[in-house]
Amino acid sequence: MPPELAPEPTSDSCARPNPAGIRRVAVLTSGGDAPGMNAAIRAVVRTGTQQGLEVVGVRRGFSGLHRGELSLLGARDVANIIQRGGTILLTARSRTWRTPEGRARGAQVLRDWGVDGLIVIGGDGSFHGAHFLQEEHGIPVIGVPGTIDNDLYGTDHTIGYFTAVETALDAVDKLRDTGASHERIFVIEVMGRHAGHIALDVAVAGGAEEVFIPEDSKPVSGVLDIVRDSVAKGKRGSIIIVAEGYPGGATGVAEAIEAGTGLETRVSILGHIQRGGSPVSSDRILASRLGEAAVYALMEGRRGVMVGRGASGMLYTPLHETWEKRKDVSRDLYRCAKTLSV
Ligand code: F6P
C-alpha cells in the first residue's frame, strides 16, 4: 500500500509559498540517460523535503510508472550521487506509454499514491509522454531538460550536454595523435540524432577541418577539396566531425573521401561513451538549479512547462513548444569553425 500523506508543511524562514497546495511530488528519469541526471534527482528530493513535501522516486521512467515501481525518497537517499553518471532511478524508452491505456494505468498509480505533481527529467520524447499525461488525466507535470543532445527549445543548455562535449573532445584529441602519426584522415561521429550542437562545439574546440551537422544539408562532396587542400598545405592528417544525424553519418563521409581522393581514411564512431561518466561542474550546477526550480514551479501552480535557463535566468516554456519550436545551432560558431579550419 502507498504510504500516507505527510502533514502540511510547517512554516519556517526557508518555506516557499505553496498556493497549489502540493504535498507529494514524484520524480522520474526517462529516455537516454545524461550525466547530471543524478544531480537533478538530488535537487528535487532535497528541495522537496526542505519544503516539507514528500518525494516519491519512480524507477525505470514511464515503464516503471505504469507498473507501479515507486518508493519514497528522503534527503539521505540521494547522498553521494551528485558526482555519479547515469541515473539512480534507471531509465527506459517505454512503448506502452505511447498508448492511452498505458498512460491511464500510470495516472491511476499516481492517484493511488496521492501524487500532486510529476517531475520528468528527460528529452523531447519524455516530454511528449508528460504532456499527454497532463492533457488526458489532469496530473500536473513539470519537465527538466536532461539530454546530451541540447536539442530542446526553451533552455540554452540541457543537462548532460557539457559533459558529453568534454568526453567527445577528449576522444578527438587522442584520435588526432594517432591520425597525425599515420598522416591519415579521421572521420569522427558524435551523437546528436537531430541536432549538431555537440558536433559543432567539438569541431571548434578540437580544431577540426570540417564539420557536418543535420541543420545544414551541404553536400559531402565539398569535403574532398578540403582534405586535398590540407595535404597540399602539409598538414599531417585531418579531423572531420560528423553528427550522427547527418545523412550517411561518418561512414558515408569517409567513403566519399576515400573514393574521391584515395587518401587513407579511418572512421571512429564515439557512440554511447558520450552518455557516461562523472558530470562536469556546469552540468551539476545546471541540474541543481533546474531540479530546485521544478519543485518551486509545482508549488507556484505552474503546469505543463519545462524549466530552463537562459541569459535572463529561469525560463518556463510550455512542453509542446520545446519540441515544436527549433533551437538552432549557433550560426556564428558555425562560421567560426569554417574560418579557423584553414
Ligand atoms: O537522445 C540522446 C541520444 O544519446 C541521441 O544522441 C542518440 O541518437 C540516442 O540517444 C541513442 O539512443 P539509444 O540509447 O536508445 O541507443
Side-chain angles (χ1 to χ4, degrees):
M1 276 295 287
E4 289 302 303
L5 283 174
E8 291 285 352
T10 52
S11 65
D12 64 34
S13 57
C14 292
R16 288 279 188 127
N18 187 1
I22 300 288
R23 296 172 68 187
R24 181 177 279 183
V25 300
V27 58
L28 60 79
T29 49
S30 167
D33 64 330
M37 280 184 162
N38 281 328
I41 295 166
R42 172 182 178 270
V44 168
V45 172
R46 293 203 169 167
T47 305
T49 53
Q50 195 231 26
Q51 292 300 318
L53 313 182
E54 286 187 328
V55 184
V56 176
V58 182
R59 284 160 66 87
R60 299 189 176 82
F62 291 115
S63 295
L65 178 52
H66 70 74
R67 289 198 298 256
E69 297 183 37
L70 286 70
S71 58
L72 282 171
L73 291 176
R76 297 275 64 76
D77 294 319
V78 290
N80 257 318
I81 65 167
I82 195 167
Q83 78 286 8
R84 281 171 53 190
T87 159
I88 60 160
L89 288 177
L90 311 180
T91 186
R93 300 192 197 273
S94 172
R95 284 180 191 281
T96 310
W97 197 260
R98 293 186 201 148
T99 65
E101 298 74 32
R103 294 193 290 271
R105 277 207 300 279
Q108 191 54 49
V109 169
L110 290 172
R111 282 192 284 269
D112 290 347
W113 274 74
V115 167
D116 302 310
L118 174 67
I119 295 173
V120 173
I121 306 168
D124 64 338
S126 311
F127 290 173
H128 274 82
H131 171 79
F132 286 119
L133 176 69
Q134 181 174 299
E135 292 282 298
E136 294 165 0
H137 301 284
I139 293 172
V141 295
I142 297 289
V144 174
T147 165
I148 64 165
D149 287 0
N150 196 29
D151 58 349
L152 292 169
Y153 176 86
T155 188
D156 283 358
H157 299 105
T158 54
I159 297 165
Y161 171 65
F162 294 106
T163 307
V165 168
E166 292 305 320
T167 302
L169 186 59
D170 183 53
V172 168
D173 289 347
K174 288 174 174 150
L175 291 168
R176 179 182 284 285
D177 290 344
T178 172
S181 303
H182 285 264
E183 300 181 275
R184 283 171 173 161
I185 317 293
F186 256 96
V187 184
I188 304 167
E189 185 173 298
V190 299
M191 273 192 167
R193 203 181 346 215
H194 307 295
H197 298 279
I198 296 176
L200 186 50
D201 273 13
V202 168
V204 172
E209 269 65 35
E210 179 60 300
V211 55
F212 290 97
I213 55 175
E215 290 86 346
D216 185 356
S217 56
K218 68 183 173 192
V220 72
S221 55
V223 77
L224 303 183
D225 282 341
I226 291 171
V227 294
R228 283 194 201 104
D229 193 42
S230 296
V231 173
K233 285 175 179 156
K235 288 194 185 182
R236 290 186 294 111
S238 294
I239 298 287
I240 315 292
I241 304 292
V242 183
E244 169 192 17
Y246 180 78
T251 308
V253 173
E255 282 171 2
I257 293 173
E258 282 211 322
T261 67
L263 293 167
E264 195 175 18
T265 305
R266 292 287 185 274
V267 173
S268 184
I269 298 175
L270 301 187
H272 290 78
I273 194 169
Q274 294 160 95
R275 291 232 298 254
S278 180
V280 299
S281 59
S282 302
D283 277 324
R284 298 184 198 192
I285 293 164
L286 179 65
S288 299
R289 279 186 188 280
L290 295 182
E292 180 195 34
V295 175
Y296 294 153
L298 276 175
M299 293 169 68
E300 288 160 11
R302 296 182 197 267
R303 271 109 189 77
V305 295
M306 179 191 81
V307 292
R309 291 284 298 177
S312 57
M314 210 56 78
L315 303 171
Y316 303 91
T317 305
L319 283 176
H320 62 92
E321 286 188 17
T322 67
W323 68 80
E324 284 168 2
K325 296 188 176 175
R326 186 157 180 84
K327 178 164 81 180
D328 198 7
V329 291
S330 163
R331 294 288 157 178
D332 204 37
L333 193 61
Y334 196 41
R335 185 196 47 71
C336 176
K338 187 83 203 144
T339 308
L340 302 183
S341 66
V342 287

